[in-house]
Amino acid sequence: MAYNIALIPGDGIGKEVVPEAVRVMDFLSKQYGFELAYTEFPYSCEYYLKTGAMVPEDGIDQLGNFDAIFLGAVGDLRVPDHVSLWGLLLPIRRQMQQYANIRPIRLLPGITSPLADRTAEDINFIVVRENNEGEYSEIGGRLYSGTDAEMVVQETVFTRKGVDRILRYAFELAQSRPRKHLTSATKSNGIIHTMPYWDERFNALSKEYPDVVTAQFHIDILTAHFVQHPDWFDVVVGSNLFGDILSDLGPAIAGSIGIAASANLNPSKEFPSMFEPVHGSAPDIAGRGIANPIGTLWSAQMMLDFLGEQKAAQSLMTAIETVTGMKRLTADLGGDATTKQFTDTVIEQLATGEVYRN
Ligand code: NAD
Ligand code: IPM
Ligand code: MN
């Protein structure tokens, strides 16, 4: 099989970790006999500073022609974040109807959790984040700008279609996992309209999935439970903002934001899905070659799996875990490996040919 991949390294460490993932994917494509044809796009804050836009007018439409999109990170201190992110990343997620943002969290071998005495059995869950609506909405505006009467309104949008489809995705994912357990993140005690609606749909749909055991927590105590009882969680579904917050906290308890991977899925495959690490452009470490590539390599693994290259995907995950197990770790995890050294060691493991065991 041959796949056309749109590559958008973006900004900061995005430009360091994406080429590493490409090296690994190229190695796997030879090993497992499939083809990857990349088209690289320069869309980034640099591009914005040169052209005045994050993408050309038809830039996002063009991405629709690919089998998948692989992105690094977006963000630069010289461009306001709402300009860069609403100019590139967020419009891709929306226009391509990538409504399910899947963010797995696992304590990998060789990595020490900041939580005392926790093992891999305790930290193994997936955050399913609504990715198209909710708190991330362009509806709103300012009145009386620059005066004492200045006011600003930001609307949250929950649609029946949008809520039901993400909840169904989460129920079905929970059904496919051994524990069949689904937690819903809510805040229906404080947010009077949208969150009771979310709970109402969660309870209604749960009747269609009687084999899934459910739990619901308000987001405030849920963050505390992530720290104190990570073993309670299997699949956790949340609105756009809650899912965003939980999917930085999750990898933090598993060692570092640097390991966090994500898939922005258009499950119907009407449009391409996008794969990207959860982390941002990390301006504080960019240019030093020390970024942890695991989040990006794991995102590549999710992309290969989604494209149908399960053996290559499985092999890559095993190789990543073998290398972390060897304690060949980057600085964020307490090691001294560079980005490139970590990737080289992953490729060495893949080269042994013994990584994937059927
Ligand atoms: P960040 O994820 O870029 O960085 C947070 C902290 O984690 C920093 O100390 C950074 O050095 C560290 N870190 C992140 N990834 C790492 C890795 N792979 N290896 C080692 N350390 C890593 O988040 P931020 O500081 O809130 O945002 C910086 C910029 O990135 C902003 O412009 C923000 O809007 C943007 N951002 C973009 C995305 C995205 O493109 N998906 C996601 C989050 C933030
Ligand atoms: C993420 C990021 C983005 C989000 C930002 C950069 C807009 O934090 O992918 O988690 O909030 O979705
Ligand atoms: Mn985030």
Side-chain angles (χ1 to χ4, degrees), residues 7-23:
L7 274 189
I8 309 177
D11 296 303
I13 62 168
K15 290 186 291 192
E16 299 170 35
V17 288
V18 165
E20 297 302 298
V22 168
R23 276 206 295 143

Side-chain angles (χ1 to χ4, degrees), residues 160-175:
R160 172 84 166 244
K161 178 181 165 194
V163 171
D164 279 16
R165 68 185 180 181
I166 195 66
L167 291 177
R168 279 190 192 286
Y169 189 95
F171 273 109
E172 281 161 29
L173 181 62
Q175 241 173 358

Side-chain angles (χ1 to χ4, degrees), residues 88-292:
L88 179 57
L89 180 69
L90 297 171
I92 299 175
R93 289 179 182 167
R94 276 152 200 259
Q95 199 171 316
M96 303 299 158
Q97 286 291 296
Q98 295 162 349
Y99 67 81
N101 193 330
I102 310 307
R103 298 183 154 187
I105 291 125
R106 284 201 289 127
L107 182 57
L108 302 179
I111 297 181
T112 308
S113 169
L115 309 180
D117 304 327
R118 290 297 183 180
T119 64
E121 287 78 60
D122 299 319
I123 303 178
N124 181 358
F125 58 93
I126 301 180
V127 172
V128 174
R129 168 187 181 187
E130 200 294 315
N131 212 29
N132 279 175
E133 54 176 42
E135 304 86 348
Y136 286 52
S137 130
E138 283 166 294
I139 300 176
R142 286 189 196 205
L143 276 179
Y144 307 116
S145 283
T147 72
D148 286 351
E150 194 166 53
M151 63 171 279
V152 54
V153 173
Q154 168 78 57
E155 297 291 352
T156 291
V157 177
F158 280 42
T159 64
R160 172 84 166 244
K161 178 181 165 194
V163 171
D164 279 16
R165 68 185 180 181
I166 195 66
L167 291 177
R168 279 190 192 286
Y169 189 95
F171 273 109
E172 281 161 29
L173 181 62
Q175 241 173 358
S176 75
R177 288 169 59 92
R179 279 183 61 194
K180 302 191 193 320
H181 188 281
L182 177 62
T183 301
S184 166
T186 184
K187 187 62 196 172
S188 46
N189 54 356
I191 308 289
I192 194 172
H193 297 301
T194 51
M195 285 297 159
Y197 182 71
W198 173 274
D199 292 354
E200 187 183 306
R201 298 310 304 154
F202 184 73
N203 292 329
L205 292 182
S206 70
K207 299 196 172 59
E208 293 180 33
Y209 303 91
D211 51 335
V212 176
V213 180
T214 61
Q216 274 172 283
F217 295 104
H218 295 302
I219 186 69
D220 42 359
I221 194 62
L222 182 54
T223 60
H225 290 330
F226 262 41
V227 173
Q228 292 180 306
H229 311 285
D231 52 303
W232 286 0
F233 302 105
D234 179 19
V235 178
V236 181
V237 65
S239 64
N240 210 331
L241 181 61
F242 291 175
D244 178 48
I245 295 166
L246 294 174
S247 60
D248 267 23
L249 180 56
I253 65 169
S256 166
I257 182 68
I259 68 160
S262 78
N264 300 265
L265 298 183
N266 171 253
S268 69
K269 304 201 174 177
E270 187 188 352
F271 299 104
S273 292
M274 174 166 65
F275 300 81
E276 50 159 346
V278 174
H279 65 72
S281 55
D284 55 337
I285 59 162
R288 293 166 55 193
I290 58 167
N292 189 340

Side-chain angles (χ1 to χ4, degrees), residues 49-86:
L49 291 168
K50 276 194 213 123
T51 67
M54 291 296 293
V55 289
E57 211 163 303
D58 64 343
I60 296 191
D61 290 341
Q62 279 183 31
L63 299 174
N65 300 324
F66 291 85
D67 294 310
I69 304 164
F70 195 73
L71 184 138
V74 181
D76 183 304
L77 299 169
R78 295 169 293 171
V79 181
D81 284 338
H82 67 280
V83 172
S84 56
L85 275 312
W86 277 96

